[in-house]
Amino acid sequence: MTRFTFSLVRRSSSLLALALLAGTQGQTATPTAVPTLPPPSALITAQPIGDSIFPALGQAGLDVLNYDLDLFVDRPGRSELRGTVVLTVTATQPLPVLSLDFLGPQVLDVRWEGLPAPYRHDQTAGKLTIQPPQPLRPGTLARVTVRFAGKAGVRPDPDLPIDVGWQAVPAQGDRVGANFTLSEPDGTRTFLPVNDHPSDPATFTTRVTVPAGYTAAASGVERAEVAAPDGGRTFTFEQAQPIPTYTLAIHVNQFERVDAAAVPVGVAGSDVLRRDYFPVGTQADTRAAYTSTGEILKVLAEWFGPYPFSAYGSAIVTPRVPALETATLSTMPVTSSNTRVLVHETAHQWFGDQLTLADWSEVWLNEGFATYAELLWAQAQGEAGEDIVRGWYARAGRSQTRPLVATSEAQLFDTTAYIRGALALHAVRVTVDDAAFKGYLRGWVAGFHNRPVTTADLLAYTRTRLGATAGAALRLWAESPELPPFRKGKHRHIHRAQGGCACQATPHARCSSRCSSSRPSRRASSGRPSGRLLSPCTMGTKRNSGRAIRSRRAVKATTKSARSSKWALSSARSGKGSPDSRSISAGCGSKPSSSSLSRRDVSRKIDALGRV
Ligand SMILES: [Zn+2]
């Protein structure tokens, strides 16, 4: 303790302003003599978690068990907020200091087990370093309290025209001001001191105090709603199951809460509470998509196993931003209020919120599964799903591709993470029957939700659970620098039962075309074995299908190359798939031209808004 000096950290006008801000609803933010840490050079270095995409995030060895948060949103629509959070922490290795991620409001004071603790808040680096009385040791618990007030921090997302984290939606016309969280991948640190990495999920107790006329919504089950000064209200939510920090939802708006019948898809058949939050004045056509939520939960629980949390629903936001799988309460823009996006975000409750990532480079494990859920839902509605898979393959074929594990922030939400990820799962599916595939999905969730997951985990699990053929299929799709050719599955197309066609259920353009013909196809009658490999072009257009079929020799060479150069990457930056169907044929068998790349770059931010 002698290494630390004690002084007033914040002085004069800024402190006075904070005190005034914090005092508007009864909570004092009076600055006191606050111990501060010396400059960083004098600190014992805190080791980050070591994420390959965001190497500065988190602290190695720190395990936050619970965040108990009191948040005061005095002026909805603005970026100012104030609050107190109590972190219950332990460690997996001795920690001389705690290093929390925090870009956000200014720190007023820090306490360790109720006593003032030295700290240093570097808002540029986004780190709040706290000195405990003695090192935090494995097996011990500590409660660390941080009080803060001021403007939320800023964390620009290179893909989006917004900063991720605490969103402020100013009042405009008839619309009142509002706030909400949109934090993937690392926006929670803009308003809350956290160990901001998905490998350290935690439970949350969230109390939000809002002015008169406003409603707060947050991840978890609402436990209380009590009066606050000046006609305001305090809403309390308990998120009893651990969730990654980026999935924490907090919404403040003039909401209409709509409750629906509970859905018995929870653990051991328990009821899952259903509630949605619509801003007052939300149009009926926007609300319509959410009437399917209960059915979506049932379909996905059948494939993935019990829904992992106690409640589920959506909070609708008015800005045109990406939808986000915030835990128990998906954040859904008005512009994305459709069933496909809702299915996707609901699937993330299993993949991303319950099953968490060990590293951000593994984000396809979230997006690939959530995208695949869109196919499972479509098939549950009676669709064959062929058009969906064919569309995926065509889109992947006209985009630059890479192995599934990302190597840069720009790759996190690209076409590969979503579409190639989903196709990789389909490549596994077609090696087995659907009963085995369902058991595989359920086993992945049930067996791996207690620790952060990696692609290596899934590869090992796939081989163990489904055998060498499925394992090899996934490995090819995971590791090949090029888009792998597609292997047709074992499932017979329904037309075969009618005696008309031997096409298989795995869809591709020519097969579908022939199956729709009244005459049996020549290929169908040739007795060729299943498992023929098709190139992306085969999936694109009939015009290109013939010349694009790869020879078996070429496919073997591709496979060998992929296996011998694990994680080898194309140096080209992956672009987002253009929705322009005119580019389908141009993309077959050739790299996109520089001009098309340029167009994609220009529209990149716009495309990013469609990410889900
Ligand atoms: Zn997603």
Side-chain angles (χ1 to χ4, degrees):
M1 293 297 287
T2 53
R3 293 183 294 108
F4 298 101
T5 58
F6 293 81
S7 63
L8 283 170
V9 280
R10 306 293 178 200
R11 295 177 188 279
S12 67
S13 58
S14 61
L15 266 185
L16 181 60
L18 288 173
L20 290 172
L21 173 67
T24 54
Q25 282 206 350
Q27 189 199 39
T28 177
T30 304
T32 55
V34 179
T36 62
L37 292 180
S41 59
L43 286 174
I44 301 170
T45 303
Q47 194 72 27
I49 285 174
D51 189 275
S52 65
I53 305 295
F54 303 109
L57 285 182
Q59 182 181 17
L62 173 61
D63 182 2
V64 181
L65 304 177
N66 175 258
Y67 297 89
D68 189 300
L69 171 64
D70 280 285
L71 200 64
F72 295 80
V73 182
D74 302 321
R75 298 176 182 176
R78 298 168 61 104
S79 60
E80 290 85 2
L81 70 169
R82 59 191 173 93
T84 301
V85 61
V86 181
L87 297 83
T88 302
V89 301
T90 187
T92 58
Q93 65 190 54
L95 299 178
V97 295
L98 246 62
S99 176
L100 300 174
D101 300 298
F102 192 37
L103 287 161
Q106 293 189 346
V107 175
L108 301 178
D109 60 46
V110 175
R111 291 176 179 268
W112 189 280
E113 293 292 358
L115 299 175
Y119 68 88
R120 188 176 194 279
H121 187 199
D122 184 339
Q123 286 175 294
T124 303
K127 289 291 184 182
L128 171 60
T129 309
I130 301 167
Q131 174 76 39
Q134 56 272 330
L136 182 65
R137 300 196 175 282
T140 62
L141 289 177
R143 281 179 296 276
V144 185
T145 304
V146 181
R147 204 159 57 97
F148 54 89
K151 292 189 71 171
V154 176
R155 197 306 200 181
D157 185 308
D159 278 345
L160 299 175
I162 61 169
D163 301 327
V164 296
W166 186 251
Q167 305 295 308
V169 186
Q172 186 175 32
D174 294 337
R175 190 185 69 194
V176 299
N179 294 94
F180 64 95
T181 56
L182 193 80
S183 299
E184 190 178 27
D186 59 339
T188 303
R189 63 191 177 121
T190 66
F191 65 96
L192 191 64
V194 284
N195 197 32
D196 207 2
H197 195 268
S199 64
D200 187 18
T203 58
F204 285 82
T205 303
T206 307
R207 286 174 292 276
V208 187
T209 299
V210 296
Y214 277 85
T215 297
S219 294
V221 176
E222 183 175 333
R223 295 300 188 198
E225 176 186 337
V226 299
D230 301 323
R233 290 182 293 175
T234 299
F235 297 81
T236 301
F237 301 87
E238 183 181 4
Q239 173 59 43
Q241 301 85 11
I243 57 170
T245 47
Y246 77 89
T247 70
L248 173 66
I250 300 175
H251 290 258
V252 174
N253 204 339
Q254 292 191 352
F255 278 123
E256 178 187 349
R257 172 177 160 160
V258 177
D259 292 342
V263 188
V265 295
V267 177
S270 59
D271 276 346
V272 174
L273 301 178
R274 279 277 301 111
R275 76 283 185 263
D276 299 306
Y277 292 86
F278 299 99
V280 171
T282 301
Q283 300 295 312
D285 57 345
T286 298
R287 298 171 183 248
Y290 303 96
T291 59
S292 300
T293 301
E295 185 61 24
I296 292 170
L297 284 171
K298 291 176 184 174
V299 169
L300 297 188
E302 179 65 23
W303 281 99
F304 303 147
Y307 176 78
F309 306 124
S310 303
Y312 186 62
S314 300
I316 284 68
V317 298
T318 54
R320 187 167 181 259
V321 296
L324 185 61
E325 62 267 28
T326 31
T328 80
L329 190 65
S330 290
T331 298
M332 298 288 292
V334 170
T335 48
S336 297
S337 291
N338 61 67
T339 304
R340 183 190 70 80
V341 175
L342 183 57
V343 167
H344 183 105
E345 304 309 333
T346 306
H348 270 308
Q349 303 298 311
W350 285 266
F351 304 104
D353 297 3
Q354 182 189 24
L355 226 64
T356 62
L357 302 176
D359 190 281
W360 275 111
S361 63
E362 309 278 7
V363 73
W364 85 270
L365 292 171
N366 291 356
E367 300 304 344
F369 280 83
T371 302
Y372 200 77
E374 299 169 25
L375 174 64
L376 298 174
W377 168 259
Q379 292 177 317
Q381 306 313 300
E383 296 181 35
E386 296 175 0
D387 288 346
I388 294 174
V389 179
R390 187 164 56 242
W392 285 346
Y393 206 55
R395 182 175 171 185
R398 63 177 183 264
S399 301
Q400 292 195 11
T401 194
R402 57 173 175 82
L404 290 176
V405 177
T407 58
S408 70
E409 184 177 355
Q411 292 179 344
L412 290 185
F413 303 104
D414 66 5
T415 303
T416 293
Y418 289 77
I419 304 301
R420 179 167 166 167
L423 286 166
L425 297 174
H426 197 68
V428 171
R429 184 182 183 180
V430 299
T431 66
V432 296
D433 61 31
D434 272 1
F437 187 65
K438 183 179 295 184
Y440 164 78
L441 294 176
R442 295 175 71 112
W444 173 240
V445 174
F448 290 83
H449 73 267
N450 288 325
R451 63 183 177 87
V453 293
T454 65
T455 301
D457 292 332
L458 185 63
L459 285 167
Y461 168 72
T462 303
R463 184 179 177 86
T464 301
R465 175 92 191 195
L466 297 180
T469 301
L474 181 62
R475 182 173 293 279
L476 177 64
W477 277 83
E479 299 179 354
S480 171
E482 299 177 358
L483 189 68
F486 210 90
R487 183 180 293 275
K488 291 165 61 180
K490 295 177 179 177
H491 314 302
R492 295 296 175 187
H493 192 282
I494 191 170
H495 285 196
R496 182 173 176 80
Q498 298 168 355
C501 179
C503 290
Q504 296 175 321
T506 303
H508 61 93
R510 185 161 55 175
C511 183
S512 296
S513 172
R514 292 184 180 218
C515 284
S516 64
S517 166
S518 60
R519 292 184 300 174
S521 72
R522 190 157 56 89
R523 184 175 301 280
S525 61
S526 68
R528 289 192 178 193
S530 64
R532 187 171 59 83
L533 298 165
L534 301 171
S535 79
C537 294
T538 316
M539 305 293 294
T541 65
K542 290 174 65 176
R543 182 176 56 186
N544 289 320
S545 61
R547 62 183 166 86
I549 298 174
R550 291 167 184 262
S551 69
R552 287 186 176 276
R553 180 178 299 174
V555 170
K556 284 182 179 178
T558 301
T559 307
K560 184 178 178 182
S561 170
R563 288 177 177 169
S564 64
S565 57
K566 185 179 180 182
W567 311 132
L569 279 172
S570 165
S571 59
R573 184 181 185 185
S574 177
K576 291 181 183 295
S578 165
D580 184 355
S581 60
R582 289 172 298 181
S583 65
I584 291 177
S585 59
C588 285
S590 63
K591 295 293 183 186
S593 67
S594 57
S595 59
S596 66
L597 275 176
S598 175
R599 282 198 300 274
R600 272 205 297 272
D601 287 342
V602 168
S603 62
R604 197 153 175 269
K605 289 185 182 301
I606 298 172
D607 288 347
L609 291 173
R611 98 185 186 204
V612 287

PDB file of all heavy atoms in Angstrom, residues 60-61 81 95 100 134 188 194 207 249 261 325 377 417 427 442 462 464 487 524 542 553:
ATOM      1  N   ALA A  60      -6.691 -11.610 -18.038  1.00  0.00           N
ATOM      2  CA  ALA A  60      -6.445 -13.036 -17.844  1.00  0.00           C
ATOM      3  C   ALA A  60      -6.524 -13.368 -16.362  1.00  0.00           C
ATOM      4  O   ALA A  60      -5.990 -12.647 -15.526  1.00  0.00           O
ATOM      5  CB  ALA A  60      -5.077 -13.403 -18.405  1.00  0.00           C
ATOM      6  N   GLY A  61      -7.218 -14.429 -16.047  1.00  0.00           N
ATOM      7  CA  GLY A  61      -7.297 -14.879 -14.661  1.00  0.00           C
ATOM      8  C   GLY A  61      -8.426 -14.277 -13.860  1.00  0.00           C
ATOM      9  O   GLY A  61      -8.701 -14.706 -12.745  1.00  0.00           O
ATOM     10  N   LEU A  81     -25.308   9.242 -18.237  1.00  0.00           N
ATOM     11  CA  LEU A  81     -25.921   8.301 -17.309  1.00  0.00           C
ATOM     12  C   LEU A  81     -25.061   8.246 -16.061  1.00  0.00           C
ATOM     13  O   LEU A  81     -23.934   8.744 -16.042  1.00  0.00           O
ATOM     14  CB  LEU A  81     -26.096   6.929 -17.929  1.00  0.00           C
ATOM     15  CG  LEU A  81     -24.865   6.055 -18.224  1.00  0.00           C
ATOM     16  CD1 LEU A  81     -25.317   4.644 -18.591  1.00  0.00           C
ATOM     17  CD2 LEU A  81     -24.036   6.617 -19.345  1.00  0.00           C
ATOM     18  N   LEU A  95      -4.028 -12.317  -8.644  1.00  0.00           N
ATOM     19  CA  LEU A  95      -4.118 -11.050  -9.371  1.00  0.00           C
ATOM     20  C   LEU A  95      -3.727  -9.899  -8.442  1.00  0.00           C
ATOM     21  O   LEU A  95      -4.483  -9.535  -7.549  1.00  0.00           O
ATOM     22  CB  LEU A  95      -5.538 -10.833  -9.908  1.00  0.00           C
ATOM     23  CG  LEU A  95      -6.068 -11.865 -10.904  1.00  0.00           C
ATOM     24  CD1 LEU A  95      -7.506 -11.537 -11.299  1.00  0.00           C
ATOM     25  CD2 LEU A  95      -5.175 -11.927 -12.143  1.00  0.00           C
ATOM     26  N   LEU A 100     -10.274  -3.670 -15.347  1.00  0.00           N
ATOM     27  CA  LEU A 100     -11.584  -3.745 -16.000  1.00  0.00           C
ATOM     28  C   LEU A 100     -11.581  -2.902 -17.270  1.00  0.00           C
ATOM     29  O   LEU A 100     -10.869  -1.894 -17.362  1.00  0.00           O
ATOM     30  CB  LEU A 100     -12.671  -3.249 -15.047  1.00  0.00           C
ATOM     31  CG  LEU A 100     -12.802  -4.026 -13.731  1.00  0.00           C
ATOM     32  CD1 LEU A 100     -13.811  -3.338 -12.816  1.00  0.00           C
ATOM     33  CD2 LEU A 100     -13.217  -5.476 -13.988  1.00  0.00           C
ATOM     34  N   GLN A 134      -4.956  -6.824  -0.850  1.00  0.00           N
ATOM     35  CA  GLN A 134      -3.975  -7.882  -1.114  1.00  0.00           C
ATOM     36  C   GLN A 134      -4.385  -8.576  -2.400  1.00  0.00           C
ATOM     37  O   GLN A 134      -5.538  -8.472  -2.811  1.00  0.00           O
ATOM     38  CB  GLN A 134      -3.893  -8.892   0.043  1.00  0.00           C
ATOM     39  CG  GLN A 134      -5.192  -9.551   0.417  1.00  0.00           C
ATOM     40  CD  GLN A 134      -5.976  -8.751   1.446  1.00  0.00           C
ATOM     41  OE1 GLN A 134      -5.398  -8.061   2.261  1.00  0.00           O
ATOM     42  NE2 GLN A 134      -7.295  -8.844   1.381  1.00  0.00           N
ATOM     43  N   THR A 188     -20.168  -2.863 -24.313  1.00  0.00           N
ATOM     44  CA  THR A 188     -20.634  -2.715 -22.934  1.00  0.00           C
ATOM     45  C   THR A 188     -19.674  -1.857 -22.117  1.00  0.00           C
ATOM     46  O   THR A 188     -20.071  -1.130 -21.206  1.00  0.00           O
ATOM     47  CB  THR A 188     -20.837  -4.107 -22.300  1.00  0.00           C
ATOM     48  OG1 THR A 188     -21.770  -4.843 -23.106  1.00  0.00           O
ATOM     49  CG2 THR A 188     -21.408  -3.992 -20.892  1.00  0.00           C
ATOM     50  N   VAL A 194     -16.445  -3.577 -16.970  1.00  0.00           N
ATOM     51  CA  VAL A 194     -16.685  -5.012 -17.136  1.00  0.00           C
ATOM     52  C   VAL A 194     -15.407  -5.722 -17.563  1.00  0.00           C
ATOM     53  O   VAL A 194     -14.473  -5.093 -18.052  1.00  0.00           O
ATOM     54  CB  VAL A 194     -17.764  -5.283 -18.221  1.00  0.00           C
ATOM     55  CG1 VAL A 194     -19.158  -4.980 -17.693  1.00  0.00           C
ATOM     56  CG2 VAL A 194     -17.475  -4.475 -19.481  1.00  0.00           C
ATOM     57  N   ARG A 207     -30.903  -2.826 -12.056  1.00  0.00           N
ATOM     58  CA  ARG A 207     -31.957  -1.887 -11.639  1.00  0.00           C
ATOM     59  C   ARG A 207     -31.785  -0.606 -12.442  1.00  0.00           C
ATOM     60  O   ARG A 207     -30.699  -0.019 -12.444  1.00  0.00           O
ATOM     61  CB  ARG A 207     -31.875  -1.604 -10.138  1.00  0.00           C
ATOM     62  CG  ARG A 207     -32.366  -2.744  -9.241  1.00  0.00           C
ATOM     63  CD  ARG A 207     -32.116  -2.455  -7.783  1.00  0.00           C
ATOM     64  NE  ARG A 207     -30.667  -2.456  -7.494  1.00  0.00           N
ATOM     65  CZ  ARG A 207     -29.959  -3.546  -7.243  1.00  0.00           C
ATOM     66  NH1 ARG A 207     -30.542  -4.731  -7.215  1.00  0.00           N
ATOM     67  NH2 ARG A 207     -28.665  -3.459  -7.018  1.00  0.00           N
ATOM     68  N   ALA A 249     -28.836  -6.553 -22.374  1.00  0.00           N
ATOM     69  CA  ALA A 249     -29.793  -5.596 -22.935  1.00  0.00           C
ATOM     70  C   ALA A 249     -30.254  -4.641 -21.855  1.00  0.00           C
ATOM     71  O   ALA A 249     -30.585  -5.058 -20.737  1.00  0.00           O
ATOM     72  CB  ALA A 249     -31.005  -6.331 -23.508  1.00  0.00           C
ATOM     73  N   ALA A 261     -48.516 -15.854 -23.866  1.00  0.00           N
ATOM     74  CA  ALA A 261     -48.545 -17.100 -23.101  1.00  0.00           C
ATOM     75  C   ALA A 261     -47.145 -17.675 -22.969  1.00  0.00           C
ATOM     76  O   ALA A 261     -46.356 -17.666 -23.936  1.00  0.00           O
ATOM     77  CB  ALA A 261     -49.461 -18.108 -23.795  1.00  0.00           C
ATOM     78  N   GLU A 325     -28.700 -10.134 -30.670  1.00  0.00           N
ATOM     79  CA  GLU A 325     -29.211 -11.231 -29.839  1.00  0.00           C
ATOM     80  C   GLU A 325     -29.044 -10.953 -28.350  1.00  0.00           C
ATOM     81  O   GLU A 325     -28.568 -11.808 -27.606  1.00  0.00           O
ATOM     82  CB  GLU A 325     -28.487 -12.518 -30.218  1.00  0.00           C
ATOM     83  CG  GLU A 325     -26.959 -12.526 -29.992  1.00  0.00           C
ATOM     84  CD  GLU A 325     -26.147 -12.118 -31.212  1.00  0.00           C
ATOM     85  OE1 GLU A 325     -26.677 -11.341 -32.034  1.00  0.00           O
ATOM     86  OE2 GLU A 325     -24.999 -12.563 -31.338  1.00  0.00           O
ATOM     87  N   TRP A 377     -36.063 -23.484 -39.504  1.00  0.00           N
ATOM     88  CA  TRP A 377     -37.383 -22.885 -39.349  1.00  0.00           C
ATOM     89  C   TRP A 377     -38.171 -23.004 -40.654  1.00  0.00           C
ATOM     90  O   TRP A 377     -39.346 -23.387 -40.662  1.00  0.00           O
ATOM     91  CB  TRP A 377     -37.260 -21.429 -38.938  1.00  0.00           C
ATOM     92  CG  TRP A 377     -38.557 -20.668 -39.042  1.00  0.00           C
ATOM     93  CD1 TRP A 377     -38.928 -19.812 -40.036  1.00  0.00           C
ATOM     94  CD2 TRP A 377     -39.658 -20.711 -38.123  1.00  0.00           C
ATOM     95  NE1 TRP A 377     -40.187 -19.311 -39.799  1.00  0.00           N
ATOM     96  CE2 TRP A 377     -40.661 -19.846 -38.637  1.00  0.00           C
ATOM     97  CE3 TRP A 377     -39.895 -21.389 -36.929  1.00  0.00           C
ATOM     98  CZ2 TRP A 377     -41.878 -19.645 -37.987  1.00  0.00           C
ATOM     99  CZ3 TRP A 377     -41.112 -21.192 -36.286  1.00  0.00           C
ATOM    100  CH2 TRP A 377     -42.082 -20.338 -36.807  1.00  0.00           C
ATOM    101  N   ALA A 417     -18.574 -15.742 -42.201  1.00  0.00           N
ATOM    102  CA  ALA A 417     -19.034 -16.082 -40.853  1.00  0.00           C
ATOM    103  C   ALA A 417     -20.470 -16.585 -40.874  1.00  0.00           C
ATOM    104  O   ALA A 417     -20.818 -17.557 -40.188  1.00  0.00           O
ATOM    105  CB  ALA A 417     -18.910 -14.868 -39.941  1.00  0.00           C
ATOM    106  N   ALA A 427     -23.035 -29.217 -44.633  1.00  0.00           N
ATOM    107  CA  ALA A 427     -22.132 -30.265 -45.119  1.00  0.00           C
ATOM    108  C   ALA A 427     -22.035 -31.415 -44.118  1.00  0.00           C
ATOM    109  O   ALA A 427     -21.874 -32.575 -44.502  1.00  0.00           O
ATOM    110  CB  ALA A 427     -20.752 -29.674 -45.393  1.00  0.00           C
ATOM    111  N   ARG A 442     -28.064 -30.881 -30.430  1.00  0.00           N
ATOM    112  CA  ARG A 442     -28.435 -30.847 -29.009  1.00  0.00           C
ATOM    113  C   ARG A 442     -27.243 -31.220 -28.129  1.00  0.00           C
ATOM    114  O   ARG A 442     -27.047 -30.650 -27.054  1.00  0.00           O
ATOM    115  CB  ARG A 442     -29.624 -31.776 -28.756  1.00  0.00           C
ATOM    116  CG  ARG A 442     -30.912 -31.333 -29.461  1.00  0.00           C
ATOM    117  CD  ARG A 442     -32.036 -32.353 -29.279  1.00  0.00           C
ATOM    118  NE  ARG A 442     -32.541 -32.384 -27.921  1.00  0.00           N
ATOM    119  CZ  ARG A 442     -33.748 -31.978 -27.553  1.00  0.00           C
ATOM    120  NH1 ARG A 442     -34.597 -31.517 -28.463  1.00  0.00           N
ATOM    121  NH2 ARG A 442     -34.127 -32.046 -26.299  1.00  0.00           N
ATOM    122  N   THR A 462     -17.517 -33.265 -33.532  1.00  0.00           N
ATOM    123  CA  THR A 462     -18.176 -33.772 -34.732  1.00  0.00           C
ATOM    124  C   THR A 462     -17.656 -35.152 -35.087  1.00  0.00           C
ATOM    125  O   THR A 462     -18.425 -36.081 -35.375  1.00  0.00           O
ATOM    126  CB  THR A 462     -17.953 -32.804 -35.906  1.00  0.00           C
ATOM    127  OG1 THR A 462     -18.435 -31.511 -35.533  1.00  0.00           O
ATOM    128  CG2 THR A 462     -18.682 -33.276 -37.153  1.00  0.00           C
ATOM    129  N   THR A 464     -16.158 -37.284 -33.121  1.00  0.00           N
ATOM    130  CA  THR A 464     -16.520 -38.252 -32.083  1.00  0.00           C
ATOM    131  C   THR A 464     -17.990 -38.633 -32.172  1.00  0.00           C
ATOM    132  O   THR A 464     -18.353 -39.801 -32.047  1.00  0.00           O
ATOM    133  CB  THR A 464     -16.222 -37.660 -30.692  1.00  0.00           C
ATOM    134  OG1 THR A 464     -14.839 -37.340 -30.627  1.00  0.00           O
ATOM    135  CG2 THR A 464     -16.590 -38.631 -29.594  1.00  0.00           C
ATOM    136  N   ARG A 487     -20.926 -31.499 -51.346  1.00  0.00           N
ATOM    137  CA  ARG A 487     -21.182 -32.941 -51.425  1.00  0.00           C
ATOM    138  C   ARG A 487     -22.670 -33.195 -51.213  1.00  0.00           C
ATOM    139  O   ARG A 487     -23.235 -32.755 -50.226  1.00  0.00           O
ATOM    140  CB  ARG A 487     -20.389 -33.681 -50.355  1.00  0.00           C
ATOM    141  CG  ARG A 487     -20.551 -35.201 -50.422  1.00  0.00           C
ATOM    142  CD  ARG A 487     -19.732 -35.853 -49.335  1.00  0.00           C
ATOM    143  NE  ARG A 487     -18.301 -35.678 -49.555  1.00  0.00           N
ATOM    144  CZ  ARG A 487     -17.556 -36.466 -50.331  1.00  0.00           C
ATOM    145  NH1 ARG A 487     -18.104 -37.474 -50.967  1.00  0.00           N
ATOM    146  NH2 ARG A 487     -16.267 -36.243 -50.464  1.00  0.00           N
ATOM    147  N   ALA A 524     -30.047 -39.359 -63.323  1.00  0.00           N
ATOM    148  CA  ALA A 524     -30.703 -40.138 -62.287  1.00  0.00           C
ATOM    149  C   ALA A 524     -30.730 -41.618 -62.665  1.00  0.00           C
ATOM    150  O   ALA A 524     -30.656 -42.488 -61.807  1.00  0.00           O
ATOM    151  CB  ALA A 524     -32.125 -39.628 -62.065  1.00  0.00           C
ATOM    152  N   LYS A 542     -27.894 -22.317 -64.149  1.00  0.00           N
ATOM    153  CA  LYS A 542     -27.842 -23.458 -65.052  1.00  0.00           C
ATOM    154  C   LYS A 542     -26.806 -23.218 -66.134  1.00  0.00           C
ATOM    155  O   LYS A 542     -26.127 -24.117 -66.577  1.00  0.00           O
ATOM    156  CB  LYS A 542     -29.220 -23.692 -65.661  1.00  0.00           C
ATOM    157  CG  LYS A 542     -30.234 -24.204 -64.656  1.00  0.00           C
ATOM    158  CD  LYS A 542     -31.602 -24.279 -65.255  1.00  0.00           C
ATOM    159  CE  LYS A 542     -31.671 -25.304 -66.360  1.00  0.00           C
ATOM    160  NZ  LYS A 542     -33.036 -25.440 -66.891  1.00  0.00           N
ATOM    161  N   ARG A 553     -10.122 -35.276 -59.116  1.00  0.00           N
ATOM    162  CA  ARG A 553      -8.707 -35.004 -58.868  1.00  0.00           C
ATOM    163  C   ARG A 553      -8.531 -33.599 -58.304  1.00  0.00           C
ATOM    164  O   ARG A 553      -7.788 -33.375 -57.353  1.00  0.00           O
ATOM    165  CB  ARG A 553      -7.914 -35.147 -60.163  1.00  0.00           C
ATOM    166  CG  ARG A 553      -6.425 -34.884 -59.996  1.00  0.00           C
ATOM    167  CD  ARG A 553      -5.694 -35.088 -61.298  1.00  0.00           C
ATOM    168  NE  ARG A 553      -5.841 -36.453 -61.764  1.00  0.00           N
ATOM    169  CZ  ARG A 553      -5.391 -36.867 -62.949  1.00  0.00           C
ATOM    170  NH1 ARG A 553      -4.802 -36.031 -63.770  1.00  0.00           N
ATOM    171  NH2 ARG A 553      -5.545 -38.115 -63.300  1.00  0.00           N
TER     172      ARG A 553
END
